Amino acid sequence: MSLSIQADAAAALSSSLATGQRTIHAHDLTYSLLPPLTAGCPRTSNADISYPLEVSYDYAAVGSELRQALFDRRHLPDDILSWAPLLPPLDSRLGLGIGGTPLVDVSAAFRSNAPVLVKDESRNPTWSHKDRLNLCTVSAAALSGAPGVVVASSGNHGASAAALSARVGLPCIVVMSPGAPALAESFVGAYGATVLSVPRDARWGVVKDIVDKLGFHPVSNQTTTHTGHPFGPEGYKTIAYELYIQLGHRLPGAVFVPTGYGELLYGVWKGFEELRLLGVVDSVPSLYACEIGSRAVLATALAQHRPAVTVDFTPTDAYSLATTTGGYRSTHVMNHTTGRVIGVDDPDLVRAQDDLSGQGIWQELSGVASVAGLRTALQQGDTFDGPIVCVCTSTGLKDKNALRYEAIESAPDWDTLSDLLRRQGLTVA
């Protein structure tokens, strides 16, 4: 590790209260903070299940002054790095523009007993929530002196990893599978990443080879069940912190979260749990995991009382949630919340996408799973105490069917135009 990297790492460590890594299902199994254990807990993982780790912190060091500085402010911080005490060591070059996403009232689109608000994560630098995760994972790569970053991704994760790697001067390899939108491949490549297209089932082997042979830092999963990077979900905690401030220093009644592997779900839950642990709030809101219903990865694991399962492939255009493999993070959350799992499929997602478009928000199909899940919950008679938040994760520009909207061709004369507009339901004098 060069002297400059050592100095950067020392500065990042000095601002973070992170103390190490611990296994999520057994907090007594602890490890040093670095290097990140991306293959899961060495003592409990096996060929069938890889148990993920998380970052532990010296919560006792968060005294009243620091707690007040972090959580009593009236407005969101301009820079996500201001949460540094409760995040793993961060590279100071990476915080610009990440987080601080708006909370938009879309109650008009619903018949609900409580306000409905969208946390619009498409406002991050690469237009998705993944920037919060990669703030932490790419920081780990840069501060540990890795020669590069590698990620297996259908689009959002790869674009974010590529962009943030470019910002710190690290080469990035993104392993994608055929069938991703052409725009997604171009978006990833625009940041200078090397984009490889390989069969979906071969992606993990390719990532492992790049890690083993080139020493690149993996910022996505490389295990049989989903383990992922132990630092990644720490970035998602900041969504919970922001919601607390945006709602006027109170908790939402419920939070609906698009769920594939469960990293976002776990991060949001952990953020609220930390607020409770630190004495900022006295409870944690209900979390609803909204997954692809025809696959039911999480619902199946819970029904079978298993930490994670792999299910059969079924087609869906929601490619960002199109996993057939689960992870322990999501089952852990659902065993510690009063919320539930809601299955949604493509027709539900298209309707939710149109609902939000009518409110001026265009989201990727996967990104509106939370909205589709809320609609299902309301139809099933659920009621909520306090505002309902739907986390929406990515811009509609990344959708597989982003080009389904087309301009109407018309001659420029008024007679033709007025006739066409009438057929569109518009009143023409």
Side-chain angles (χ1 to χ4, degrees):
M1 186 182 295
S2 71
L3 290 176
S4 61
I5 292 175
Q6 286 179 333
D8 290 342
L13 282 167
S14 68
S15 61
S16 171
L17 294 175
T19 57
Q21 299 174 82
R22 65 185 183 187
T23 306
I24 288 175
H25 76 288
H27 285 175
D28 58 319
L29 298 178
T30 60
Y31 305 89
S32 60
L33 184 60
L34 296 171
L37 298 177
T38 57
C41 175
R43 285 179 271 181
T44 59
S45 299
N46 54 53
D48 298 320
I49 174 71
S50 298
Y51 285 104
L53 297 98
E54 65 177 355
V55 178
S56 55
Y57 300 86
D58 182 7
Y59 295 117
V62 184
S64 59
E65 288 187 9
L66 178 56
R67 185 169 59 246
Q68 183 176 5
L70 289 173
F71 301 114
D72 285 359
R73 44 189 150 193
R74 300 178 64 181
H75 303 288
L76 293 184
D78 294 330
D79 192 329
I80 198 171
L81 296 178
S82 68
W83 302 113
L86 291 174
L87 291 174
L90 301 177
D91 189 301
S92 60
R93 294 171 289 180
L94 293 181
L96 185 63
I98 297 175
T101 55
L103 195 58
V104 184
D105 193 329
V106 295
S107 302
F110 295 88
R111 292 181 179 177
S112 169
N113 69 306
V116 178
L117 308 166
V118 161
K119 183 66 166 163
D120 186 3
E121 288 295 291
S122 72
R123 309 292 187 92
N124 282 299
T126 69
W127 310 339
S128 90
H129 64 308
K130 291 292 185 180
D131 290 334
R132 295 184 192 259
L133 177 145
N134 282 309
L135 167 69
C136 299
T137 60
V138 175
S139 287
L143 296 174
S144 61
V149 166
V150 60
V151 55
S153 168
S154 56
N156 286 326
H157 193 7
S160 175
L164 296 188
S165 295
R167 192 176 289 182
V168 296
L170 286 177
C172 181
I173 300 174
V174 181
V175 183
M176 303 183 75
S177 53
L183 177 61
E185 294 180 356
S186 183
F187 190 33
V188 173
Y191 298 113
T194 298
V195 184
L196 305 177
S197 180
V198 303
R200 183 176 181 84
D201 291 343
R203 291 188 304 169
W204 313 127
V206 172
V207 170
K208 188 175 186 306
D209 281 344
I210 292 169
V211 172
D212 293 344
K213 299 180 186 305
L214 299 181
F216 275 37
H217 192 85
V219 299
S220 63
N221 189 56
Q222 52 175 340
T223 55
T224 304
T225 54
H226 189 273
T227 299
H229 198 292
F231 289 19
E234 302 299 314
Y236 292 143
K237 294 188 313 189
T238 57
I239 292 176
Y241 300 165
E242 290 177 12
L243 288 176
Y244 173 73
I245 293 173
Q246 288 173 304
L247 292 171
H249 302 99
R250 60 177 178 146
L251 291 172
V255 183
F256 286 72
V257 183
T259 302
Y261 293 130
E263 290 176 301
L264 175 61
L265 180 73
Y266 186 81
V268 173
W269 173 81
K270 185 178 181 182
F272 284 121
E273 179 64 18
E274 286 183 336
L275 291 176
R276 186 195 65 80
L277 183 66
L278 293 169
V280 178
V281 300
D282 57 10
S283 64
V284 173
S286 299
L287 266 69
Y288 288 73
C290 306
E291 68 174 355
I292 301 302
S294 61
R295 300 191 180 193
V297 176
L298 176 52
T300 300
L302 293 170
Q304 296 179 1
H305 303 287
R306 295 169 61 187
V309 298
T310 297
V311 301
D312 293 334
F313 173 89
T314 58
T316 176
D317 283 339
Y319 67 95
S320 294
L321 294 180
T323 179
T324 56
T325 300
Y328 177 75
R329 285 189 181 91
S330 55
T331 55
H332 180 90
V333 171
M334 300 319 297
N335 285 321
H336 290 81
T337 182
T338 55
R340 60 190 174 96
V341 181
I342 298 181
V344 294
D345 287 305
D346 285 15
D348 309 307
L349 297 171
V350 170
R351 180 179 178 184
Q353 192 178 50
D354 289 342
D355 285 343
L356 284 195
S357 294
Q359 297 296 308
I361 302 172
W362 187 30
Q363 284 275 324
E364 180 188 346
L365 208 61
S366 299
V368 298
S370 54
V371 176
L374 171 60
R375 186 170 292 285
T376 297
L378 293 173
Q379 290 171 346
Q380 294 173 350
D382 289 23
T383 58
F384 304 93
D385 295 325
I388 305 161
V389 173
C390 295
V391 180
C392 292
T393 54
S394 175
T395 174
L397 287 169
K398 298 182 183 179
D399 200 76
K400 245 182 180 179
N401 299 312
L403 301 180
R404 69 184 172 107
Y405 307 99
E406 297 180 354
I408 302 170
E409 293 187 8
S410 174
D413 64 281
W414 178 244
D415 288 342
T416 302
L417 287 170
S418 60
D419 181 61
L420 187 152
L421 294 174
R422 287 190 187 95
R423 283 187 274 121
Q424 295 299 308
L426 298 171
T427 301
V428 178

